[in-house]
Amino acid sequence: MSNVVITLDREKLKNVKNKDTVSLIEESLPKVEETLKAEREEFLLEKIAKLEVKLREMDGEIEELREFYEKALRDRELMTAEKEKLRKENEELRAKLREKRDKINKVHKL
């Protein structure tokens, strides 16, 4: 259990000495509890507000990532199609080059 330190000036201390301190503390406890509850509630409300802001930011970031991912998929499809087109074109050019080499080799053999 923790200790509670109460600091009073001399005048208040004189007044308190003449009164029953236990009853004063007991009278003050409900007000203290109410104050602590209000402060805790305020703290939690601020925390909730901050978390809601963070959540909206994260939702925005998730949406940006989703859009980036979808664009990356589209780009991948385009690149795959372009790669296939270039592969076919390369095959055709190799075939034409082989034909030309074969013709040149036949001419040289004659």
Side-chain angles (χ1 to χ4, degrees), residues 92-105:
E92 291 171 4
L93 290 173
R94 281 190 183 133
K96 287 179 183 178
L97 182 61
R98 274 190 227 112
E99 286 178 20
K100 286 185 180 182
R101 280 188 191 157
D102 290 344
K103 285 181 184 177
I104 291 173
N105 286 338

Side-chain angles (χ1 to χ4, degrees), residues 8-92:
L8 298 172
D9 62 30
R10 288 181 187 215
E11 192 63 37
K12 285 188 181 182
L13 183 60
K14 287 178 186 177
N15 290 336
V16 170
K17 278 187 179 180
N18 297 332
K19 295 181 181 178
D20 181 20
T21 54
V22 174
S23 64
L24 280 173
I25 291 172
E26 287 175 350
E27 288 174 16
S28 298
L29 277 179
K31 292 178 183 177
V32 171
E33 286 177 351
E34 192 176 318
T35 301
L36 288 174
K37 285 179 184 178
E39 287 177 355
R40 180 72 175 159
E41 184 178 340
E42 184 179 331
F43 169 79
L44 291 174
L45 289 173
E46 289 173 5
K47 190 97 169 157
I48 288 170
K50 288 178 184 177
L51 289 172
E52 287 173 343
V53 168
K54 188 70 172 172
L55 180 62
R56 283 192 294 275
E57 289 173 1
M58 291 173 72
D59 282 342
E61 290 173 5
I62 288 172
E63 186 57 35
E64 287 176 16
L65 286 172
R66 184 176 289 120
E67 289 171 5
F68 176 80
Y69 178 73
E70 289 171 359
K71 184 183 180 309
L73 286 178
R74 289 190 304 271
D75 289 350
R76 180 177 179 214
E77 290 174 9
L78 291 172
M79 295 303 274
T80 303
E82 189 64 25
K83 178 181 170 185
E84 184 62 26
K85 177 183 158 191
L86 290 172
R87 188 189 63 74
K88 287 180 182 179
E89 186 178 317
N90 200 10
E91 281 180 21
E92 291 171 4

